[in-house]
Amino acid sequence: VVILDEMDVLVTRRQKVLYDLLEWPTRANSKIVAICIANTMDLPERILPRLQSRLGPNRLSYSPYSTSQLKTILAHMTSSESQFADAVISKPAMDLCAAKVAVISGDVRRARAILIRAIELARASSKSVVEVTPNHVNDAVEDLVQGCRFATIAQLAYFEQLALVALVT
């Protein structure tokens, strides 16, 4: 059994790696089964037709985490992971983080990143006890959104960046 997690990350223009990985189970006398996991619902529709034929007809969809589920997960995470040990995350901050992430994506990794950034911001503004407030969560969300925008712009080709500058100015 080959479990291919984050399959959407492997999608490239030619999709050679995915094609090769998904070809193994189709070979004669193959005893390999491939289970593919992706974060994007429309991945089978976005890949090349030659790859679509390699995917089975079964698709199992999971709903994003709800606000209450995220609150439970975050409460457990912050009480058990060492990087959260020296910070006090207020209930309103935890609730706000869970609510914002539930609306956007329901992704626990995003919620975790927001809390880690909020702790960093709280540390920078505090001399003693690190207490994370809803303001820190809001600032962390803004920082992460800005970081994504800059990363996207940085990945553009030179002429695409020039076109963007021309549009903005």
Side-chain angles (χ1 to χ4, degrees):
V1 176
V2 175
I3 298 177
L4 184 59
D5 194 7
E6 303 289 345
M7 180 181 169
D8 39 353
V9 175
L10 294 174
V11 174
T12 60
R13 213 169 115 224
R14 293 188 55 228
Q15 301 175 0
K16 172 109 173 83
V17 172
L18 279 176
Y19 185 81
D20 290 345
L21 284 170
L22 295 175
E23 182 186 14
W24 292 343
T26 63
R27 291 185 178 170
N29 300 322
S30 174
K31 294 182 177 154
I32 294 176
V33 174
I35 299 172
C36 302
I37 303 169
N39 290 330
T40 52
M41 293 295 299
D42 65 340
L43 183 67
E45 290 78 23
R46 291 190 307 142
I47 59 177
L48 296 173
R50 69 183 184 134
L51 262 176
Q52 288 175 359
S53 67
R54 300 274 188 237
L55 295 177
N58 299 329
R59 190 184 301 191
L60 183 60
S61 300
Y62 292 95
S63 300
Y65 288 113
S66 68
T67 302
S68 63
Q69 290 171 320
L70 283 169
K71 285 180 191 179
T72 303
I73 293 167
L74 292 175
H76 176 72
M77 184 185 303
T78 56
S79 67
S80 63
E81 290 187 23
S82 61
Q83 64 196 62
F84 297 107
D86 67 332
V88 176
I89 302 171
S90 69
K91 183 174 179 350
M94 188 84 76
D95 293 348
L96 178 63
C97 180
K100 281 188 174 277
V101 171
V103 168
I104 296 168
S105 67
D107 187 351
V108 173
R109 294 170 295 186
R110 182 167 285 169
R112 186 175 187 278
I114 290 169
L115 284 182
I116 289 171
R117 181 64 184 139
I119 290 170
E120 291 169 357
L121 294 170
R123 264 194 202 114
S125 66
S126 175
K127 303 288 188 265
S128 57
V129 177
V130 179
E131 183 175 353
V132 177
T133 66
N135 287 338
H136 294 121
V137 171
N138 282 327
D139 292 345
V141 169
E142 187 60 32
D143 282 1
L144 292 174
V145 168
Q146 288 291 61
C148 290
R149 288 181 188 145
F150 289 126
T152 301
I153 292 170
Q155 290 178 349
L156 294 175
Y158 177 71
F159 289 109
E160 292 171 325
Q161 291 177 356
L162 283 177
L164 188 59
V165 168
L167 287 171
V168 173
T169 56

